[in-house]
Amino acid sequence: MRIGELAQVAGTTAKTLRFYEDQGLLLPAARTASGYRHYGPEILARLDFIHRGQAAGLTLAQIRQILQIRDSGTAPCDHVRELLDIRLAEVDEQIAELGRLRETIGQLRTAAEHVQPETCQAGAVCAYL
Amino acid sequence: MRIGELAQVAGTTAKTLRFYEDQGLLLPAARTASGYRHYGPEILARLDFIHRGQAAGLTLAQIRQILQIRDSGTAPCDHVRELLDIRLAEVDEQIAELGRLRETIGQLRTAAEHVQPETCQAGAVCAYL
DNA sequence: CTTGACCTTCCAGTGTAGTGGAAGGTTGAG
DNA sequence: CTCAACCTTCCACTACACTGGAAGGTCAAG
């Protein structure tokens, strides 16, 4: 499979595949005599893994780490569990923070509802933000 | 007030103040004969406004827009209300999305709990991600 | 008068995950 | 043989809000 075909099958772009290789997420592809990359179908599992990792909100750096453990011959189970725990805690924190932000903005918006333009004439930029 | 002093009083850095001026958030500061910026105390209300806007999750571009309306002599009330509404919807959407992500990751983590390393030996990168 | 803290401008880099485009080589169908 | 469609590398750029550092000018205390 050439890079464009793989990109189409995997639902990405040739540009992104080269980028992934560059970033160490894909091992350097085999080349034809003329320098074209060519791939076997087993690469699809790796790309699917990358996509699943992204769907779970892992960074490419984290995904690369898992792949490198895998490539070194070790099962990355423990590391993956650890990353999922970290990610879970991060998401919980983000949700909590956004909840607080929502509260703040909601209050500002409520206060802004009943303000007359005249009140805005003060020296401040805006009375209710 | 010189820029360093203002930065300290306002809880920011001189670098950031120059950046804000550059970005159009602060009007060009008056200069001394030798080229030093100097500020009156009224600048503090503007900086506080910028900080409140950031705390509400507005981008500097949005804050600049409000300030420019203000600077043009119009009360920015309507625009601020509109921005708060948009921001509220964005935050709600982000919270919803993070909730879905949390669900996904939680399920992956639960599934990963009871996996034996041997299961990882399959051709795939990782059985449970 | 010197020294150190302050100020000036300008250029470059941070992190994330790519995207855009130029310049040039290869492939395969007609 | 030609031509479009594909491939290659390399460099620059996106958004966001700054931050770092170089090179040089200014100010105030001692």
Side-chain angles (χ1 to χ4, degrees), chain A residues 52 70 77 109 120 129, chain B residues 52 70 77 85 109 120 129:
Chain A
R52 288 198 304 278
R70 233 305 172 214
C77 302
R109 183 61 186 82
C120 290
L129 179 54
Chain B
R52 288 198 304 278
R70 235 300 173 220
C77 302
D85 282 341
R109 184 59 187 84
C120 289
L129 179 55

Side-chain angles (χ1 to χ4, degrees), chain B:
Chain B
M1 230 182 327
R2 298 202 305 199
I3 197 167
E5 194 188 341
L6 174 60
Q8 202 161 19
V9 173
T12 182
T13 66
K15 209 98 189 171
T16 297
L17 292 175
R18 284 187 210 104
F19 172 73
Y20 284 173
E21 181 178 317
D22 215 56
Q23 298 296 300
L25 288 146
L26 301 181
L27 300 172
R31 302 292 183 122
T32 65
S34 57
Y36 283 21
R37 288 174 181 81
H38 68 99
Y39 301 91
E42 72 286 353
I43 193 78
L44 284 168
R46 199 175 176 103
L47 284 173
D48 279 349
F49 176 78
I50 294 173
H51 290 330
R52 288 198 304 278
Q54 286 197 293
L58 298 182
T59 65
L60 291 186
Q62 291 173 319
I63 295 169
R64 175 177 52 220
Q65 232 177 359
I66 299 172
L67 288 167
Q68 281 171 352
I69 292 172
R70 235 300 173 220
D71 291 339
S72 77
T74 312
C77 302
D78 291 344
H79 191 62
V80 169
R81 265 193 288 267
E82 193 185 324
L83 280 178
L84 288 178
D85 282 341
I86 292 172
R87 192 70 196 111
L88 213 45
E90 283 171 0
V91 170
D92 283 343
E93 175 52 32
Q94 280 174 41
I95 290 174
E97 200 170 321
L98 278 176
R100 291 191 289 272
L101 182 58
R102 211 231 105 98
E103 188 63 20
T104 302
I105 301 174
Q107 280 170 9
L108 289 172
R109 184 59 187 84
T110 304
E113 190 60 56
H114 308 296
V115 169
Q116 308 300 104
E118 295 78 42
T119 323
C120 289
Q121 307 295 4
V125 178
C126 175
Y128 54 92
L129 179 55

Side-chain angles (χ1 to χ4, degrees), chain A residues 7 9 11 13 21 23 42 49 61-64 66-67 70 72 74 81 90-91 101 105 110-112 114 123 126 128:
Chain A
V9 173
T13 66
E21 181 178 318
Q23 298 295 301
E42 73 285 352
F49 176 77
Q62 290 171 320
I63 296 169
R64 175 177 52 220
I66 299 172
L67 289 167
R70 233 305 172 214
S72 78
T74 312
R81 265 194 287 267
E90 282 171 1
V91 170
L101 182 57
I105 301 174
T110 303
H114 308 295
C126 176
Y128 54 93

Side-chain angles (χ1 to χ4, degrees), chain A residues 43-63:
Chain A
I43 192 82
L44 285 168
R46 199 176 176 101
L47 284 173
D48 279 348
F49 176 77
I50 294 173
H51 290 330
R52 288 198 304 278
Q54 286 198 294
L58 298 183
T59 65
L60 292 186
Q62 290 171 320
I63 296 169

